[in-house]
Amino acid sequence: MSEHRRKPPQSRGRRAAQPPSGGRRAAPSHGAAPGHGTPADRPHGGRAEARRAAQRSAAGGGRRRAVSGSTAASGRGRTAPSGGRRLVDYPRSDRYGWRRWLPSWKLVAGLCAAGFALLVGMVGLALAWVDVPDENITATQQNNVYYWSDKTVMARVGATNRQNVDIKDIPKSMQDAVIAAENETFWKDKGVDPMGIGRAVFNMATGGDTQGGSTITQQFVKNNYLTQDQTITRKVRELFISIKVNQVMTKEKILQGYLNTSYYGRNAHGIQAAAQAYFEKDASKLNPSESAFLAAVLKGADLYDPAGGVGPNSKPKQNRERAEKRWKWILDRQVEVGLMPKSERDKYTEFPEVAPRKAQAGTGGQNGYLVSVAEEEVKKKLGIDKKQFDRGGYQIYTTFDKEKVAAMAKAVEKVHSQYIKPDKRPDKDRFVQFGAASVEPGTGKIVAIYGGPGFDKNHFINNADTQGVPVGSTWKPFVLGAAMEYGTYRSGGEGVSPESKYNGDNKLKVKRQDGTDYLDKEGNPFYQVNDADKDHGYITLRRAMEVSANTPFVQLGMDVGMDKVKRVASSAGIEDNSFDPNLNPSFALGTSTPGAIEMANSYATFAASGTHVDTYSVVEVRKNGEKKPGFDRPQKETAMDSNIAANITDVLRGVIEKPHGTGYARARALGRPAAGKTGTTDENKSAWWVGYTPQLSTAVTMFRTDPDEGRLLSMNKTGGFDSIHGGALPTQVWVDYMTAALKGQPVKDFPKARPIGKKADQIGAPSPTPSPSEEVEPSPSQEETTEPSQEPTTSAPTSPSPSGSESCEPWDWLCRENGGQENGGTDQGSTSTGSQDNGGSTTGSTTGTDTGGTDTGATTEGTEGNSGRPGGEEDGGSTIWGNGGT
C-alpha cells in the first residue's frame, strides 16, 4: 500500500502538538511535522503522514485557542489580517484594562480634524444651497404719507406706518449711532460676529450694558426675511442667510434695510416714521443728538420712550431716566469706537426735546376728502391702479392749506348748527349737505375743500366734487361771456355789450334764431319762467344778471348758440363729463352738474383776467425718497380775452354791490372787492354761491339727497326758510370762510373793465329814447345813476312812440303793432310806473287778452328760481316750461 493511504496514528502527537504553557508555540524544526515533537518522535510514515499530522495539529490548536482565548487573555490582542495593523486602533491594542478605552491624542486630533473638515464641507454645501428668501409682506408694507402745503404731515394712510428712505437720506450721525450701539464691527464683519455673541453673553451674565449679540446684518435678516420667533431653527437660518446676504448685498444696502425695517415705538416702523413720530421732521434733518436717541429706543421703545410705555416699570419718569442714560452712553460709545470726535460729542449735553405722543394722522374729518382728491391725481399722473398705490411708500406733498381747510370746515359747521335742525324739522332738515372748494386764481392750486362731515361719520362721498347737483344760475356768466366773445346773430358776429336789453318778463316763448318758436318734444312752444313768476320788463343784461332774471339769458343763449356757451364754459374750466348733453334752452340756466372744485376754478379764470390753469392738488411725489416725474405745474392758457373777463367781473360785482343784487344782503359783508353769482334750481333742490376776489375763488353748494335712492330733495322750508336760495346760507358760508382765509392779506381790486361790444337788443326792445315807462338802468361805473338819454341801438326794432304805435318784425310774436289784436284780444297800450331796487314796486298793466303782472320790488337777499317742469297750458295747449335759476 502506498504511503498516502496509510492511516494516521489515532492517539499520538496531540498533547505533544500543544505549545508550551504561557509561551508562544515553538516553530517546528526543519524536517519535522509541525506539532509532533522532535524528529525522534516522528513516526515512520514518510512526508505525507507528517503533513497530515501537521494539519490536524493546526486545526486542533486553532480550536483550543478559540476556546481558551489564551492569546486575548495574555493582553497581546488580535493581529491584523495578513499581519498588518488596524486603521483606527481603538480600543487600543497596546494597552490593558481601562487604558485600552482611553483614546490616544492622535485619535482625538484626527477626529477633530475630520469633524472640522466635515463641518466646513456642510457649511459650504449649505451656503451653496441656501438662497436669500423673498422679503416678508410685513417688511415690505408701507403707508402713504400726505403733507400739507407747509410740509407738515396731514395724514398717514396704510396698515403699517413705514416710509422707506434711501441711505443717502439717512444722516451719517444716525448710521454711526446705530453701529456704535449695536455692531461696532459692522463695516468689516462677514454678517455674523462670534466674538460679539460671546461678548454679549458675558456682559449679560455680569450685568453690563452691551451691544446685542446679533449683528446688524442678522437683525436686518430677521426683520426683512424671517419671523420674530425665538427658536433654534430660526436662529440657524438667520446665521446662514446673514452670511449669504453679506455676500450679495453691499453694507450700505444692509444698513439702509435695517434702519427702514426696525421698530422704534409709537407705531413707527423705519427711521422716517420714527423721525416724524418723535421729532416731527424728516429723517434727513436729524442731528447727532436726535440720532443717538432714536438708536436708544431701538433697544425697546416701551422702556425708552419718554412719554411712557406699556407694562411694568415703564412710566414716563422711569423711561426718561433710562433713555437719558442710554443716550449718553451711545454718544460716548461713538467717541470710543472712533465714529465721533470728542469735540463734537461735547456739543450735546442737553437731552433732545421729544414731541408728545399723538394719534396717527388718518382720514377723519376733512382729511379723508383731501386724501381722496390727492390720491386720484397721483394714480392718474403715475399711471398706476389702486392696488399698486396701496402698496405704499409714497410721500405726497399737497397744495392744501391747513388753516384754510379748518376755516372752511368751521364756516360750514357754524351755519349748519345755526340753521339746520333735523331733530326739530326731520321732514325738512334731514339729509342736508354742504360742499365747498377754494382755488387760487392764476395757479390752479386747490387750497381748501369741504367734502362733508367726514369718513369717520360714515359720509364717504366728496361733496366738493359731486356729480348730479345742477349749478343753476351760476351758469349765466358763461352765457354772457359767450355773447361778449361771439356776439349774436343780430350783432353780425361782433361781441355784445352787457348794456344790451332783453325782455325780462315771465313766461316768454323762447325763439330760435330764425324767429320761429322753440318746440318741446311734444311739439308745443317752450315758455320760460322767472322765479316767483316775476316780470322785469326790458332790462339790460347787466341788471338781468344782478337780479338773476331767467328769460333774458335763455333767449340770449339761443341767440348766441348753446354750443358757443358750452365752448366758453369748457375754456374756463368745466370738464366734459360735467356738461348736460342736451343743448336746449335750459342749458343756459345751469342744468349741467360740475362740482364745487370745477366751479371755483372756472370763476378763478374770470379773476385771473381770462387766464385758465387746470386745478391740481399735488406738488411733489416721492417713492422711497425718490422724486417721481410728472408733477410739474400746469401750464397757463388764455381762455378768453382779458377785457371780456374784466367785464364779466364788473357785472358780477353788481350782484354783491347793488341793493337789488341777489348777493347784496350777505356777500357785501366781506368788506373787500369781490364778485359772484347765486344759483338755485327747481324746487330749491340745490343752492349755490360762487364768488371770488383777486386772490381766491370759492364755490359753496347746498342740497338734500335721499340716501336710499340718491335723488335730490326739495329744500322748501329747510332751515326755517320758505325756500333756500343761493344768496342765503351758501353765501353766508362763503363770507365766513373768505373772511378768515383772506385775513392779513392786502385788499386788492380787479382790473378796470373797458367798454366792450355793441348793443344788440332783443327784438321788441324799447326805442333808444327813454320814455316815462322805461326803467332807469345804472351805468357800469356808477351804482345809482340814470342811463344816457340817447343810446345807440343796432338791429333793434323801433320802440312804441308816445302815441302808442310800434313797428315790429314780422316774426316777433311778442311785439304788438299799433295796439292791434293778438289771439282775439286788443292791446290798449301799457304803462310802467317807477323803479325801486329795494322794496320799491314796478307796476304795469295791459288791457285785452294779455294782462301784465305786478312787481312789488326785489328783496334784500334776492330770490331766484329754476323751474324745469311743465307749468301749465296757455294759448290753446302751449306748454309753459321753467328752467333755470337765480
Side-chain angles (χ1 to χ4, degrees), residues 626-672:
E626 179 184 350
K627 187 175 180 179
K628 307 297 288 185
F631 293 90
D632 298 330
R633 305 295 183 272
Q635 296 297 313
K636 295 182 178 181
E637 299 175 355
T638 301
M640 62 184 67
D641 182 81
S642 61
N643 196 41
I644 292 177
N647 273 272
I648 292 174
T649 295
D650 188 63
V651 171
L652 295 183
R653 290 184 69 168
V655 176
I656 297 174
E657 298 171 1
K658 299 296 181 65
H660 54 261
T662 55
Y664 177 80
R666 296 178 187 264
R668 64 192 175 98
L670 181 61
R672 62 170 70 207

Side-chain angles (χ1 to χ4, degrees), residues 168-187:
K168 63 182 174 57
D169 294 318
I170 302 173
K172 189 173 185 301
S173 64
M174 186 68 212
Q175 301 177 38
D176 290 343
V178 170
I179 290 171
E182 301 287 335
N183 181 194
E184 65 176 273
T185 63
F186 170 73
W187 294 112

Side-chain angles (χ1 to χ4, degrees), residues 587-875:
F587 183 80
L589 300 179
T591 54
S592 297
T593 59
I597 295 175
E598 289 177 67
M599 289 304 295
N601 191 43
S602 62
Y603 273 48
T605 301
F606 305 148
S609 299
T611 298
H612 169 69
V613 185
D614 288 338
T615 55
Y616 70 102
S617 63
V618 178
V619 176
E620 181 181 313
V621 173
R622 291 179 175 270
K623 178 69 181 293
N624 296 337
E626 179 184 350
K627 187 175 180 179
K628 307 297 288 185
F631 293 90
D632 298 330
R633 305 295 183 272
Q635 296 297 313
K636 295 182 178 181
E637 299 175 355
T638 301
M640 62 184 67
D641 182 81
S642 61
N643 196 41
I644 292 177
N647 273 272
I648 292 174
T649 295
D650 188 63
V651 171
L652 295 183
R653 290 184 69 168
V655 176
I656 297 174
E657 298 171 1
K658 299 296 181 65
H660 54 261
T662 55
Y664 177 80
R666 296 178 187 264
R668 64 192 175 98
L670 181 61
R672 62 170 70 207
K677 185 68 187 77
T678 53
T680 309
T681 56
D682 292 347
E683 301 179 24
N684 294 143
K685 289 182 178 179
S686 65
W688 288 78
W689 171 263
V690 187
Y692 55 95
T693 67
Q695 299 104 317
L696 207 56
S697 177
T698 301
V700 181
T701 181
M702 177 181 176
F703 54 94
R704 290 181 70 207
T705 305
D706 185 322
D708 296 325
E709 299 181 12
R711 60 186 178 88
L712 294 175
L713 303 173
S714 172
M715 290 190 292
N716 290 331
K717 306 298 182 182
T718 293
F721 296 86
D722 288 339
S723 59
I724 294 290
H725 292 86
L729 301 188
T731 305
Q732 188 61 56
V733 170
W734 181 85
V735 169
D736 291 346
Y737 162 69
M738 292 288 279
T739 300
L742 295 171
K743 185 177 181 180
Q745 295 193 28
V747 176
K748 292 185 178 181
D749 205 348
F750 297 101
K752 187 175 179 60
R754 304 186 306 275
I756 191 170
K758 63 186 293 186
K759 286 193 65 176
D761 297 338
Q762 183 184 1
I763 295 175
S767 79
T769 303
S771 68
S773 62
E774 279 189 78
E775 136 180 288
V776 179
E777 291 288 338
S779 68
S781 59
Q782 297 179 337
E783 287 191 1
E784 297 299 331
T785 59
T786 58
E787 292 181 323
S789 59
Q790 297 291 331
E791 289 183 326
T793 60
T794 305
S795 303
T798 305
S799 63
S801 66
S803 63
S805 64
E806 184 180 56
S807 176
C808 300
E809 298 288 345
W811 56 81
D812 185 12
W813 291 19
L814 299 177
C815 182
R816 294 152 177 80
E817 284 195 42
N818 301 320
Q821 293 183 348
E822 179 177 350
N823 293 334
T826 302
D827 186 351
Q828 301 293 338
S830 63
T831 59
S832 178
T833 311
S835 176
Q836 294 289 333
D837 287 331
N838 190 12
S841 64
T842 301
T843 59
S845 63
T846 316
T847 60
T849 57
D850 290 342
T851 304
T854 300
D855 185 353
T856 61
T859 65
T860 58
E861 289 187 5
T863 58
E864 49 186 338
N866 194 10
S867 171
R869 60 194 184 286
E873 298 295 327
E874 180 176 294
D875 295 338

